[in-house]
Structure formats: C-alpha cells, structure tokens
Amino acid sequence: MTHTIRTTDTEDARTAQAPPAARGRRVHRAWWVAAVAALAVMGAGAFATMPGLLVEPLHRDPGWSRGSIGLAVWVNMAAGGLVAPFATALMGRFGLRRVAAAALAAVAVGAALTTVMTQPWQLVLYWGLLVGLGCGSVAMGFAAVVVERWFTARRGLVTGLLTAASVFGQFVFMPLLSWSIERYQWRPTTVTVALVALALVPLAGLLLRDHPADLGLRPYGAREYVPRPAPAPGAARHALRVLRSAARTRPFWLLAGTFAICGASTNGIMWSGFVPAAHDHGMPPTVAASLLALIGVFNVAGTVVSGWLTDRHDPRLLLALYYGMRGVSLLLLPSLLGPEAHWPLIVFVVFFGLLDVATVPPTIALTAVRGIYGEGSGAIVFGWTLAFHQLGAGVMAFAGGALRDALGSYDAAWIVSGALCAVAAVLAPAIGKPGRAPRTARRTEPRP
C-alpha cells in the first residue's frame, strides 16, 4: 500500500500546480459550461426586451403615459446595471450556479407579479426592479466571469459567442413575443416569460460548474492547473474596493463613459423606442419587431467577428470605428422609417446589427487585462462599466419616451443618440493601451 505524506507547504504548492492526467481528445468541459451560460444569458436577453413591447399595450389599455412606462424601463436597466458588479462579486463568494439560479427565480417572480398589477408604480417595482435585478445578474458580467474562470485561450471568441447569445435572446424572440401579445394580449405572454425563467432555474443549478478545479481540470488553453480560489467574504465590500481602485484610473472613466453611450444608443433607444417609433410611421408592430429580430441575427455575426478581431487588433481603434459608424446610421434612421420595410431600412438593419453589440468584446478586453486592476478583478471592473452602460440605456429610454410625449416623435432621440456616438468615437482612442498599467488619476506613492 502506498501512503502519501504531506510534509511542507512547498510540496503542497507543487502538487496544486501539477496538471491533471490526460483525458483524451474529448471536448473540454469549458465549452459545455459556456453553452449552459449561453442559455441563461439568452433567456435574460429575451426577458429584457419585453418592456419595449409593452409600451403600446400599456399606453392603450390602462392609459398610462409613455413617460411613466419609460420610467419602469429606466429602473429595469439601471437595476440590471448596478447589480452586475455585486452579482459578479457574489459569484466569487457563492459560485456561478447559486447566483444564476437565484437571479432566474427573481425574473420568474417579477414577471408573474406583473400580470396582476393595476398601477404604474407596480410596473416599476415588479418589472423594473425584480426583473431588472435578475436579468442584470446573468447578463454580460456573468459571461465575463465564465470567460475569466474557464478560458485562457480564445477569450475574445468566447466573449463574442456569449454576447451573441445575449442579443439572440433579445431580438430573435421579439417577433414571437410581439405576435403573442397581439394574439393573446400581454398578460398571457408575460406568464409564459415567467414559466420559461422558472424552467431555467434547475437547468442552471444542475449543469453549471463554478470553476475548472472543481472537476480537476485546467482552464481551456492553460498550461498549468489553477486551484480554485477560496470564497471571498464581504462580496459587496470587495466590489466597492475594486471600484475605488479602478476609479483612480483614467481608462476606467473613459471606458465607463463610452459604454454608457453604447447603452444609450442601443438598449436605451432601440429596445424601447424602435417598435413604437416605427408604429408612429404606420408600420405594424409585428413588422417592426421582425426588423429588430433581423438586427439580432446580424448581431450574432457582428459580435463573433468583433471577438475574433479583438484577439488580433487594438481594441481602442475597433471601438472608435464601431461608435463612429453607429452614430452615422442613427442620424440617418429618422429619414428611413415609414409604413413599409423598404430596402434602405433593410440596409440600416443589417448595418446596425453588425455594429450593435460589437463593442462588447473590445470593452471586456480593455477591462479584463490581468495585472491592471488586480488578479481576478477584471470581471468585476467590467461589471462596473456594465452598470454605466445600463444607466446610460435607462436614461435614454426614459428621455425617449418623454421626448415622444412632448414632441410627438422619436426623431430627436435618434439624433441625440447619433451625436453621443460621435463623442464616444473621439474618446475611445484615448483609453489606455491593453497590456499596460493605466495612468492613475492621482499619485498613490511619493516619488523617490
């Protein structure tokens, strides 16, 4: 019988770094974890699109103003953004599975309660807060944790694939949801959303895995075994510490500002404004929702290609290019809307779809560089930039509805969004170069 005697901490460290035994040519478990994460992210994306489809029914049936509905959309997006860094930190404390399952349960509860609401404040509480918190916890911050823990190689590609899953859920299911609202009214459709979220809870709990070390594996592409870090107590304090550290750097504020503009010019105006704006021009809501679905189809291609490009080119220059082209397309949109989907509008849909979420892989690449914000902090830093993204989206969703109530048109909202994209295109090249520690806003150590 062979006995293993653990003698020193040094020997234990060597043992921890030893790679596991060869496991043949099977598909690495990281890809299966990414697939399950994609389902959760896809579901969150689909749930987050519902407020844009509820604008007209809630304005028509209960008679609520678009501004009050826009307030609920703002709370939804803001809550989803603000919870992202804390949810990311909680994943370090309790694991991916528990946080994802709890988040999906919150979505199911919020959606179910929405069906019995009678006042606008209830929409703010149920769909704005509960669904917003749930969706924000399994959005791109969740995806960033999966990428950071399970992948060393192909990070840009996997980020693009998970982002594509999110936009697939956002847009591809929109025609089905729109048709269901038109055919069966909005309450039965909302019940369906609640049931789907509830069905995803056991799936996330059973199939997700928190860390490669739990299965005795290395992260995909890693040359050495990576032990699972000890659970970090005080997740909220840790998230705030990471924010304080990142806030001392100029690149963080440039990323946060440009990503806020990204949210305003995509989620904020497209999710809540495109369908009612097209309806103002005489287009049936189902046709407008189908155009958003087509945007989602090209989101997939654009995001995957952007992830591939991010692995090979300067992310700052990619961001400048994406924002500049997106701004031009938004400025042209008011002249393209009409009662029918003519070919110039189809061209816009394809072009905007390729650019819509192409900004995510370069942004994650600029926040998750190892050693800049501290080992293991990249996903939390991205969570904070995502909070700014959602805050920008929420402000634009509310402003778009208010402008529509005041001016009778969404045209001003499209123009403001395009102008903001021009600002982001100018700011992007000033972000710190990847692979180097960013310049701090204030000196933390005296000069020698």
Side-chain angles (χ1 to χ4, degrees), residues 176-272:
L176 179 61
L177 293 172
S178 178
W179 172 84
S180 178
I181 290 173
E182 184 175 334
R183 178 72 181 272
Y184 301 107
Q185 301 301 317
W186 64 271
R187 281 188 173 87
T189 304
T190 307
V191 170
T192 302
V193 169
L195 292 175
V196 171
L198 192 61
L200 287 173
V201 172
L203 184 68
L206 293 173
L207 299 181
L208 273 178
R209 288 294 180 270
D210 296 331
H211 196 278
D214 294 344
L215 303 175
L217 298 174
R218 297 187 295 259
Y220 180 82
R223 295 184 177 180
E224 295 184 347
Y225 179 75
V226 179
R228 176 173 180 162
R237 291 194 301 271
H238 179 53
L240 292 173
R241 282 196 300 269
V242 172
L243 174 62
R244 284 197 297 268
S245 175
R248 297 190 181 116
T249 68
R250 184 180 68 179
F252 172 79
W253 290 110
L254 290 171
L255 278 168
T258 54
F259 217 37
I261 292 173
C262 177
S265 58
T266 55
N267 298 29
I269 190 61
M270 293 301 289
W271 286 10
S272 61

Side-chain angles (χ1 to χ4, degrees), residues 264-433:
S265 58
T266 55
N267 298 29
I269 190 61
M270 293 301 289
W271 286 10
S272 61
F274 184 82
V275 173
H279 184 65
D280 286 344
H281 287 78
M283 183 179 294
T286 52
V287 175
S290 297
L291 291 176
L292 280 180
L294 188 59
I295 288 177
V297 171
F298 285 95
N299 279 170
V300 175
T303 309
V304 173
V305 171
S306 178
W308 182 83
L309 290 172
T310 300
D311 287 334
R312 291 161 174 79
H313 300 286
D314 189 337
R316 302 171 302 164
L317 300 182
L318 292 176
L319 286 177
L321 179 64
Y322 297 156
Y323 284 124
M325 293 190 296
R326 183 193 294 174
V328 171
S329 67
L330 287 171
L331 291 173
L332 293 174
L333 180 58
S335 64
L336 302 178
L337 289 173
E340 298 180 1
H342 293 296
W343 71 264
L345 184 58
I346 300 298
V347 172
F348 165 84
V349 165
V350 173
F351 190 73
F352 191 87
L354 293 172
L355 298 172
D356 188 5
V357 287
T359 56
V360 173
T363 300
I364 289 182
L366 290 167
T367 58
V369 177
R370 290 183 181 273
I372 289 185
Y373 297 111
E375 191 70 19
S377 296
I380 298 178
V381 173
F382 177 72
W384 282 113
T385 63
L386 185 61
F388 283 89
H389 179 281
Q390 294 301 93
L391 286 171
V395 169
M396 181 56 70
F398 174 72
L403 287 170
R404 171 62 178 81
D405 287 336
L407 304 177
S409 170
Y410 283 91
D411 289 357
W414 302 120
I415 294 172
V416 170
S417 298
L420 287 173
C421 286
V423 174
V426 173
L427 294 177
I431 300 170
K433 187 174 182 180

Side-chain angles (χ1 to χ4, degrees), residues 31-302:
W31 294 106
W32 292 108
V33 172
V36 176
L39 288 176
V41 170
M42 187 187 307
F47 308 145
T49 62
M50 279 291 290
L53 299 177
L54 296 177
V55 172
E56 288 302 319
L58 292 177
H59 176 68
R60 180 183 63 247
D61 297 339
W64 298 347
S65 71
R66 291 182 176 86
S68 63
I69 301 169
L71 176 62
V73 177
W74 181 84
V75 171
N76 178 280
M77 293 181 176
L82 289 173
V83 77
F86 296 100
T88 301
L90 285 171
M91 290 172 197
R93 176 67 177 88
F94 298 105
L96 291 167
R97 291 191 293 175
R98 291 179 181 177
V99 174
L104 292 166
V107 172
V109 172
L113 289 174
T114 303
T115 63
V116 297
M117 66 183 181
T118 57
Q119 299 294 327
W121 67 264
Q122 293 171 320
L123 178 65
V124 173
L125 177 61
Y126 301 152
W127 201 280
L129 188 61
L130 278 177
V131 175
L133 291 174
C135 289
S137 298
V138 285
M140 288 312 302
F142 168 68
V145 174
V146 172
V147 172
E148 186 175 62
R149 289 187 178 186
W150 281 90
F151 291 87
T152 298
R154 310 289 187 183
R155 283 187 167 185
L157 176 62
V158 178
T159 300
L161 291 171
L162 291 177
T163 306
S166 175
V167 298
F168 185 88
Q170 291 167 11
F171 292 110
V172 171
F173 289 103
M174 285 197 76
L176 179 61
L177 293 172
S178 178
W179 172 84
S180 178
I181 290 173
E182 184 175 334
R183 178 72 181 272
Y184 301 107
Q185 301 301 317
W186 64 271
R187 281 188 173 87
T189 304
T190 307
V191 170
T192 302
V193 169
L195 292 175
V196 171
L198 192 61
L200 287 173
V201 172
L203 184 68
L206 293 173
L207 299 181
L208 273 178
R209 288 294 180 270
D210 296 331
H211 196 278
D214 294 344
L215 303 175
L217 298 174
R218 297 187 295 259
Y220 180 82
R223 295 184 177 180
E224 295 184 347
Y225 179 75
V226 179
R228 176 173 180 162
R237 291 194 301 271
H238 179 53
L240 292 173
R241 282 196 300 269
V242 172
L243 174 62
R244 284 197 297 268
S245 175
R248 297 190 181 116
T249 68
R250 184 180 68 179
F252 172 79
W253 290 110
L254 290 171
L255 278 168
T258 54
F259 217 37
I261 292 173
C262 177
S265 58
T266 55
N267 298 29
I269 190 61
M270 293 301 289
W271 286 10
S272 61
F274 184 82
V275 173
H279 184 65
D280 286 344
H281 287 78
M283 183 179 294
T286 52
V287 175
S290 297
L291 291 176
L292 280 180
L294 188 59
I295 288 177
V297 171
F298 285 95
N299 279 170
V300 175

